[in-house]
Amino acid sequence: MQPENNNPDKKENKAKATPEHKSSPAASAAPATEVIADGSKAREAAALEVKNVDFARKLNSIVSAIFSRCGVPIADFTVSEPLSFFAKVNYNLTWNFKCRASDKPAGKISDETHVLSQTGLDEFTQKNSKELEKESDITKAYIKRLAEAKFTELTALAGQIMAFNRISAIGRARCKKCHGSKKAMCEICNGKGVITCPSCQGLSDSCSMCNGTGFINCDNCNGTGKVTCRDCKGMGELIVEREIIYDSESFKDIEISLSVPGSDKTITSFSKEDEKIILEAANFDDQSLGTEMPHGYKATFLGYAPCFAVRVNLRGETTPFDFILCGKSLKPICKPPLLDVVFKEESNILSSTLNIGSDDVDEKIVCVKALAGKAILAKTIRSIENYELDIIKKEAAKQGVTVESIIWENKNDLNNKAKLIKSTVREQLIDNVSLELMTNAQGFISKEFSRYFAKNLIDFVPLLMMLNPNTKTVWTAVSLAVWLVNSLAVYFVPTIACIFLCIGLSIAVCAFTSITLTKNWTYYSAVSSLRIRHKLRKVPNLTSEAIHSVRLLFGTILINVVLFVLYNYRGW
């Protein structure tokens, strides 16, 4: 028998690279030169880009704006002279070469076409896979094109699969559906050979069709669970065109480092946002540093992004802050945790208030004024109610309970399920409020401090609902005293003028009590500046205070009118 691996109908190797995802390979560049990619051109381009920028003035305005958003007066900080330097970027692109086989139906083939057997096709695949993986002229040409391509051309191909060599043959392959068994699973009974009785639906013990078994044999497969494979028509094999493809898959790896002049610390870890800013500002050499690898190639482009640093000294702090701004647009990167220091006093006041509890109205007023004085904190605390309601709605839908049951359930009456829901809501709320605070602070706050502050803000809101615990006692004493004085005044001076004077005195006493004695009105005025809500109610709620005031005034009027009538009509 003639050896079947010498297939006369196999296609010639294709030297032209073919993209697997409709993307063209790097365009052929000029013949390779002996230029060494040392990053000097990129560094010069980066310096030239910001040469005529009045960055000293822009730096000061940007840094001042950042501190202004944080609530720091201009007089409380000083900015040093800016220093210019570069962030170095190594943009690595790695191509891994590998062989893969792909089968597709051969369709109509002529009688002259030589069709390989299964064994012959497998031998063809093994032999030619090894041939393609050898260092051929086509592979060398492809590597040369990668080496000569420019930065923008290659970065556009990152993450794509490029086929640059292939060979194919016609042969017989085992059917993938029946795996050569010629039989496939019956789709009617899912290979079980029986189906549910259509007469009783498997529910009757006396059904004459299934004899009470609930099942009957599948007519499609005659109870075997197998049918003739439709793909290969019961042959167990298919005639396919097998294409052996030698392709390359590209991966990128970016290394960034920067050192602030005067500092011995090198920064190599950056957030996704910082990395994006640096890459947008970076200038890259078009000549890459190429390295051939076994079954692969690696190209490294050197780039430099212009950066500027200023040192900011904050009043009362011994450690200065280094602000780094990148590119022509001077976007901040590697943001220092400025608000950890700026909000230190507010954090201490808040912690102290939580430790004292809800009884000290003066302490809560001080805390509220401190929070309201920082726009970032006021905006964050106002967001708590919306976040909490959104989380509660999702948890209520998931657990099959009502929103009201989660909001209003008493802590002492919580069962295990309710406790789990409350715990889940709280954890998610802390995460969301912490993220909100970081967003409002534009990243100038550490994650640890943000989470700690968010937790305290969440705990502080319920305390704001609580008025002076002595409110009822104070109002009862004041009301009795006012009514006694009014009674005596009208008894001894039973005139209309005296009545109006007593009513005016009662109004003044109400105001004095709310502002000075219970301090509830003063407290309400302070808390209202935050404009927050809790459990669908406005914070704080002065309903009880209003009831006490109305009761005092109504009692005063009633006493005065009764005494006046009795005096004039009873002949006192």
Side-chain angles (χ1 to χ4, degrees):
M1 181 182 290
Q2 181 181 352
E4 292 180 321
N5 56 341
N6 297 324
N7 185 5
D9 294 299
K10 67 183 179 182
K11 298 181 181 179
E12 296 296 327
N13 291 4
K14 300 178 182 178
K16 183 178 179 180
T18 304
E20 289 298 298
H21 298 297
K22 299 182 181 180
S23 57
S24 62
S28 299
T33 61
E34 298 299 323
V35 177
I36 299 176
D38 59 356
S40 57
K41 289 186 178 180
R43 197 161 43 245
E44 291 173 3
L48 184 63
E49 187 178 275
V50 294
K51 182 178 180 181
N52 298 321
V53 177
D54 185 10
F55 60 85
R57 179 183 57 81
K58 291 185 68 176
L59 273 174
N60 276 283
S61 63
I62 290 174
V63 173
S64 298
I66 291 171
F67 274 93
S68 176
R69 285 195 298 270
C70 297
V72 180
I74 295 178
D76 287 354
F77 65 91
T78 57
V79 182
S80 68
E81 289 296 320
L83 299 173
S84 62
F85 60 102
F86 296 97
K88 183 180 178 182
V89 183
N90 288 338
Y91 202 110
N92 303 308
L93 291 167
T94 303
W95 286 266
N96 293 330
F97 304 158
K98 60 181 180 181
C99 269
R100 58 186 175 91
S102 174
D103 290 346
K104 60 182 179 181
K108 294 182 178 180
I109 56 176
S110 63
D111 295 336
E112 293 79 15
T113 302
H114 182 65
V115 180
L116 299 176
S117 65
Q118 285 192 39
T119 304
L121 191 61
D122 291 341
E123 291 177 355
F124 167 82
T125 303
Q126 293 177 4
K127 177 182 176 182
N128 287 282
S129 294
K130 293 179 180 178
E131 286 293 323
L132 289 181
E133 288 177 350
K134 291 181 180 179
E135 192 174 353
S136 64
D137 291 339
I138 295 177
T139 303
K140 290 180 180 178
Y142 183 69
I143 291 177
K144 182 180 179 182
R145 294 174 68 185
L146 293 177
E148 294 175 350
K150 294 183 179 181
F151 173 75
T152 53
E153 295 173 331
L154 292 187
T155 53
L157 303 179
Q160 297 188 16
I161 299 176
M162 305 290 298
F164 61 90
N165 198 2
R166 63 182 69 203
I167 190 171
S168 62
I170 305 295
R172 299 181 184 277
R174 188 174 65 170
C175 177
K176 293 182 179 180
K177 184 172 183 178
C178 67
H179 305 290
S181 67
K182 303 180 183 181
K183 295 287 185 177
M185 182 184 72
C186 176
E187 297 178 356
I188 302 298
C189 63
N190 292 324
K192 296 178 181 179
V194 295
I195 60 173
T196 303
C197 177
S199 178
C200 68
Q201 302 299 322
L203 302 176
S204 175
D205 294 334
S206 59
C207 177
S208 59
M209 179 175 286
C210 64
N211 295 322
T213 61
F215 298 96
I216 62 172
N217 286 340
C218 176
D219 291 336
N220 189 53
C221 63
N222 294 322
T224 63
K226 299 285 186 180
V227 295
T228 301
C229 180
R230 287 184 295 181
D231 287 7
C232 64
K233 295 179 175 56
M235 300 299 294
E237 59 182 15
L238 296 168
I239 298 178
V240 298
E241 180 184 1
R242 176 164 295 174
E243 193 170 34
I244 304 171
I245 305 168
Y246 199 36
D247 59 27
S248 64
E249 186 172 4
S250 175
F251 302 92
K252 67 179 179 180
D253 177 39
I254 302 171
E255 300 172 355
I256 304 175
S257 62
L258 63 84
S259 297
V260 179
S263 173
D264 56 354
K265 182 180 179 181
T266 301
I267 303 174
T268 57
S269 179
F270 300 87
S271 65
K272 292 292 183 182
E273 181 184 359
D274 290 348
E275 183 179 291
K276 181 180 178 182
I277 292 173
I278 294 172
L279 290 178
E280 288 176 349
N283 290 267
F284 290 91
D285 279 339
D286 278 333
Q287 186 71 27
S288 66
L289 296 170
T291 305
E292 291 190 33
M293 306 180 301
H295 306 298
Y297 179 77
K298 181 178 181 179
T300 300
F301 291 90
L302 294 179
Y304 290 89
C307 295
F308 305 92
V310 291
R311 181 154 289 182
V312 179
N313 291 285
L314 191 63
R315 180 182 294 178
E317 293 295 323
T318 56
T319 305
F321 295 97
D322 287 327
F323 278 76
I324 303 174
L325 299 104
C326 182
K328 192 173 181 179
S329 58
L330 297 178
K331 294 182 179 179
I333 59 174
C334 306
K335 299 174 181 177
L338 171 66
L339 296 191
D340 291 20
V341 175
V342 173
F343 291 162
K344 185 195 301 183
E345 183 179 353
E346 286 75 14
S347 177
N348 292 336
I349 293 174
L350 181 57
S351 298
S352 175
T353 304
L354 290 174
N355 291 332
I356 293 174
S358 60
D359 294 348
D360 196 328
V361 177
D362 291 327
E363 184 71 21
K364 289 198 291 184
I365 292 174
V366 171
C367 186
V368 165
K369 289 182 177 180
L371 296 177
K374 305 293 185 181
I376 292 175
L377 297 180
K379 184 178 180 181
T380 302
I381 198 171
R382 280 196 294 269
S383 70
I384 293 176
E385 173 77 352
N386 291 332
Y387 280 125
E388 187 173 18
L389 287 178
D390 288 341
I391 296 170
I392 288 176
K393 288 176 183 177
K394 292 178 182 178
E395 284 299 313
K398 186 189 299 183
Q399 300 294 338
V401 297
T402 62
V403 172
E404 290 75 12
S405 66
I406 300 177
I407 294 177
W408 300 110
E409 194 160 8
N410 194 317
K411 289 184 178 180
N412 299 324
D413 300 331
L414 294 180
N415 54 31
N416 291 334
K417 183 178 180 180
K419 289 179 181 178
L420 179 61
I421 295 175
K422 287 281 188 180
S423 175
T424 303
V425 170
R426 179 173 173 79
E427 286 301 316
Q428 292 184 24
L429 183 59
I430 293 175
D431 291 340
N432 289 352
V433 176
S434 175
L435 183 60
E436 174 75 13
L437 180 55
M438 293 187 68
T439 302
N440 294 337
Q442 298 184 339
F444 290 97
I445 188 172
S446 67
K447 290 183 179 179
E448 296 77 14
F449 185 78
S450 174
R451 186 172 179 83
Y452 172 77
F453 213 120
K455 177 180 175 297
N456 285 346
L457 286 176
I458 293 169
D459 292 338
F460 183 57
V461 171
L463 294 186
L464 296 178
M465 294 291 291
M466 303 176 188
L467 301 177
N468 190 331
N470 299 318
T471 296
K472 186 175 182 180
T473 304
V474 171
W475 274 105
T476 300
V478 169
S479 298
L480 292 176
V482 169
W483 292 340
L484 178 60
V485 171
N486 273 261
S487 300
L488 293 175
V490 175
Y491 180 79
F492 289 107
V493 186
T495 62
I496 298 295
C498 182
I499 290 177
F500 279 106
L501 181 63
C502 289
I503 294 174
L505 178 63
S506 298
I507 294 174
V509 169
C510 283
F512 176 78
T513 303
S514 289
I515 295 173
T516 307
L517 297 182
T518 64
K519 300 181 181 178
N520 285 335
W521 182 256
T522 305
Y523 174 69
Y524 175 81
S525 300
V527 177
S528 296
S529 63
L530 290 175
R531 303 193 306 277
I532 59 178
R533 298 178 66 85
H534 179 61
K535 292 185 176 181
L536 307 177
R537 294 177 178 177
K538 188 176 180 181
V539 178
N541 192 328
L542 280 184
T543 302
S544 62
E545 188 79 359
I547 291 174
H548 289 303
S549 299
V550 170
R551 186 175 63 184
L552 187 150
L553 292 176
F554 180 77
T556 300
I557 295 172
L558 181 62
I559 291 172
N560 289 339
V561 170
V562 169
L563 289 176
F564 181 78
V565 170
L566 289 176
Y567 180 84
N568 286 279
Y569 294 95
R570 295 280 182 165
W572 283 9

